[in-house]
């Protein structure tokens, strides 16, 4: 039987936003100007000179051992707990294969990360969306559902600088979530591709430090570049064994060349510190410019929280009578004006999210961000009462 996979609304939309005159805030891509091209070229040459037989050969399914050791060290874990995956998207898929049977409940924030939604749906999970606010998932709402008998196989969170909301799960909610995982026996899948992109404030304690019922996912996509396709899953040893079995069936292993290059770069503390600094400085300036531009051009017709990291800004746009606009209908008008965003509805699990939009500040230049906000305001004006 051919399983149907619903086309991603975002992918359809990205096609329209690729026209050259559109300044897009819709994409979820990191800024290509930050890609460490010269360092990758040098690392690749060094890898090929040092051990071409290893870098170009088949490798172990669980991953290149030095890279696994680097990840384990970062996460205070044992090497045996780490599997290198083809991006963290594959890690989400493998963890779902291991932990979720068709019909099992999977809890996630509503709105939620579209890639995870697709994976969970593909595997027949019963999705349970829980509302979120600027402190992340409403763990109190989850507690109520658990009290009423909900027994999820896993709870998926993007604990730092969530996609799409940009929210970071607060320290208090992390503790509460960890306690619920212990009490009810579910797994927390903490997908953390954005945590290193913090330019102000301090990170709350990681979920993995609060409960051993956490599986932590990471990625080089937002820290180096997505093209390497290197991510990882850190899980208890028994789950790691099952992840590795599924990975072997899926693709034998992640590219040995990519893993070796990633290890050279991540394992070089001087390079990594300088590069993270560049990313944080770049995204901080872009986020600041977008917040300023939106405030200038939309004034009190937009509600937003200034980000402290990540790549996304979640906002609510109001019409002149202070009612939320219809963001789905605003989008074609925004495209006419030469800008684009992703309407909140694209991330919905089951909630209606009136007036909400995800704006990415990662790819547009500072001047373009101001112009994009001006065009968005123009589209709002043309929409009248929305
Ligand atoms: C929350 C989240 N998880 C996972 C991914 C997938 O990243 P990759 O497979 O490139 O590591 C993304 C990509 O945008 C994301 O936003």
């Amino acid at each position: 039987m051919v399983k149907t996979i619903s086309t991603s609304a975002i992918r359809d939309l990205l096609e329209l936003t690729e026209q050259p005159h559109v300044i897009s805030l819709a994409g979820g891509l990191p800024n290509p100007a930050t890609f460490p091209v010269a360092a990758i070229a040098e690392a690749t040459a060094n890898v090929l000179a040092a051990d071409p037989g290893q870098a170009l050969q088949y490798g172990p399914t669980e991953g290149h051992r030095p890279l696994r050791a680097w990840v384990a060290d970062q996460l205070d874990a044992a090497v045996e707990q780490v599997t290198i995956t083809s991006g963290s998207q594959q890690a989400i898929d493998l963890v779902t294969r291991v932990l979720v049977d068709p019909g099992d409940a999977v809890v996630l924030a509503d709105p939620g990360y579209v890639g995870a939604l697709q994976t969970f749906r593909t595997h027949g999970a019963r999705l349970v969306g829980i509302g979120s606010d600027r402190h992340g998932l409403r763990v109190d709402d989850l507690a109520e559902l658990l009290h009423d008998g909900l027994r999820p196989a896993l709870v998926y969170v993007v604990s730092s600088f969530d996609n799409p909301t940009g929210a970071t799960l607060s320290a208090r909610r992390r503790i509460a979530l960890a306690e619920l995982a212990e009490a009810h026996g579910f797994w927390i899948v903490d997908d953390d591709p954005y945590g290193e992109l913090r330019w102000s404030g301090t990170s709350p304690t990681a979920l993995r430090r609060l409960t051993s019922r956490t599986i932590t996912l990471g990625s080089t996509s937002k820290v180096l570049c997505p093209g390497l396709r290197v991510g990882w899953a850190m899980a208890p040893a028994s789950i790691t064994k099952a992840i590795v079995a599924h990975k072997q069936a899926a693709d034998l292993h992640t590219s040995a060349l990519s893993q070796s290059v990633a290890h050279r770069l991540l394992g070089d503390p001087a390079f990594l510190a300088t590069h993270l600094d560049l990313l944080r400085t770049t995204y901080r300036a872009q986020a600041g410019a977008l917040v300023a531009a939106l405030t200038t051009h939309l004034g009190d017709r937009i509600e937003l929280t200034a980000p402290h990291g990540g790549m996304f800004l979640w906002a609510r746009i109001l019409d002149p009578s202070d009612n939320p606009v219809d963001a789905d209908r605003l989008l074609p008008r925004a495209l006419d004006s030469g800008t684009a965003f992703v309407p909140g509805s694209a991330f919905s699990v089951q909630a209606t999210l009136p007036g909400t939009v995800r704006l990415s500040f990662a790819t547009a230049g500072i001047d373009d961000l101001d112009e994009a906000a001006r065009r968005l305001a123009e589209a709002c004006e043309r929409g009248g009462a929305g």
Side-chain angles (χ1 to χ4, degrees):
M1 191 186 80
V2 178
K3 285 190 192 171
T4 47
I5 301 173
S6 65
T7 338
S8 155
I10 296 187
R11 209 150 298 147
D12 293 347
L13 189 81
L14 280 175
E15 277 179 29
L16 290 175
T17 64
E18 274 167 16
Q19 303 161 79
H21 70 283
V22 175
I23 304 171
S24 180
L25 308 175
L29 312 181
N31 189 334
T34 66
F35 295 164
V37 181
I40 288 176
E42 192 187 334
T44 306
N46 288 338
V47 162
L48 291 176
D51 197 352
Q54 177 271 317
L56 301 178
Q57 188 54 282
Y58 288 110
T61 302
E62 43 274 70
H64 181 47
R65 192 164 174 104
L67 180 60
R68 293 172 72 209
W70 181 86
V71 173
D73 193 47
Q74 299 297 304
L75 301 179
D76 280 333
V79 181
E80 290 65 35
Q81 293 178 269
V82 176
T83 314
I84 305 299
T85 55
S86 299
S88 51
Q89 188 64 38
Q90 187 186 41
I92 299 171
D93 181 71
L94 296 174
V95 166
T96 309
R97 284 171 196 268
V98 171
L99 296 180
V100 180
D101 289 324
D104 281 356
V106 165
V107 168
L108 76 169
D110 192 357
Y113 166 52
V114 173
L117 279 171
Q118 276 186 324
T119 302
F120 297 144
R121 285 193 175 121
T122 303
H123 292 297
R126 185 164 56 84
L127 295 183
V128 180
I130 305 269
S132 68
D133 57 27
R134 66 195 185 88
H135 301 295
L137 188 81
R138 292 289 309 254
V139 176
D140 51 345
D141 288 352
L142 172 61
E144 254 177 54
L145 291 180
L146 292 166
H147 181 259
D148 293 345
L150 176 71
R151 290 294 169 265
L154 63 87
V155 173
Y156 170 86
V157 287
V158 181
S159 61
S160 295
F161 311 122
D162 179 33
N163 178 5
T165 66
T168 292
L169 191 63
S170 71
R172 192 175 300 191
R173 289 189 191 177
R174 287 173 191 232
I175 293 167
L177 180 59
E179 284 173 0
L180 290 173
E182 302 267 344
H184 295 276
F186 59 79
W187 290 97
I188 300 170
V189 176
D190 183 8
D191 184 12
D192 186 23
Y194 300 105
E196 291 292 345
L197 303 181
R198 173 182 286 280
W199 57 77
S200 75
T202 48
S203 308
T205 306
L207 282 157
R208 66 177 180 277
R209 297 193 194 285
L210 300 173
T211 170
S212 58
R213 297 200 66 82
T214 304
I215 297 169
T216 303
L217 312 185
S219 175
T220 58
S221 290
K222 309 300 173 344
V223 169
L224 297 174
C225 60
L228 288 172
R229 305 311 301 134
V230 172
W232 50 83
M234 191 278 276
S238 59
I239 292 184
T240 299
K241 257 195 185 157
I243 289 174
V244 171
H246 282 283
K247 177 158 172 74
Q248 190 157 36
D251 65 354
L252 298 182
H253 65 85
T254 296
S255 156
L257 179 60
S258 277
Q259 292 186 69
S260 299
V261 169
H263 176 250
R264 286 240 168 197
L265 296 178
L266 298 173
D268 175 347
F271 162 79
L272 192 58
T274 310
H275 188 62
L276 287 175
D277 214 37
L278 167 83
L279 291 170
R280 292 170 187 145
T281 309
T282 304
Y283 289 142
R284 171 185 213 147
Q286 287 172 293
L290 182 59
V291 169
L294 292 168
T295 310
T296 303
H297 296 292
L298 282 139
D300 52 13
R301 287 188 66 179
I302 189 160
E303 295 171 350
L304 55 83
T305 308
H308 296 282
M311 290 173 21
F312 302 113
L313 193 154
W314 183 253
R316 208 160 74 103
I317 301 179
L318 306 172
D319 69 16
S321 325
D322 274 355
N323 296 312
V325 298
D326 182 332
D328 290 357
R329 285 174 55 200
L330 179 60
L331 178 59
R333 294 202 304 271
L335 280 162
D336 278 349
S337 290
T339 191
F341 57 84
V342 186
S345 60
F347 307 97
S348 167
V349 182
Q350 59 229 9
T352 51
L353 302 153
T356 56
V357 297
R358 187 195 75 178
L359 306 173
S360 167
F361 46 81
T363 42
I366 302 282
D367 291 346
D368 279 350
L369 286 166
D370 185 72
E371 178 59 15
R374 193 198 63 72
R375 293 177 185 182
L376 183 59
E378 179 188 282
C380 289
E381 283 310 314
R382 284 196 289 115

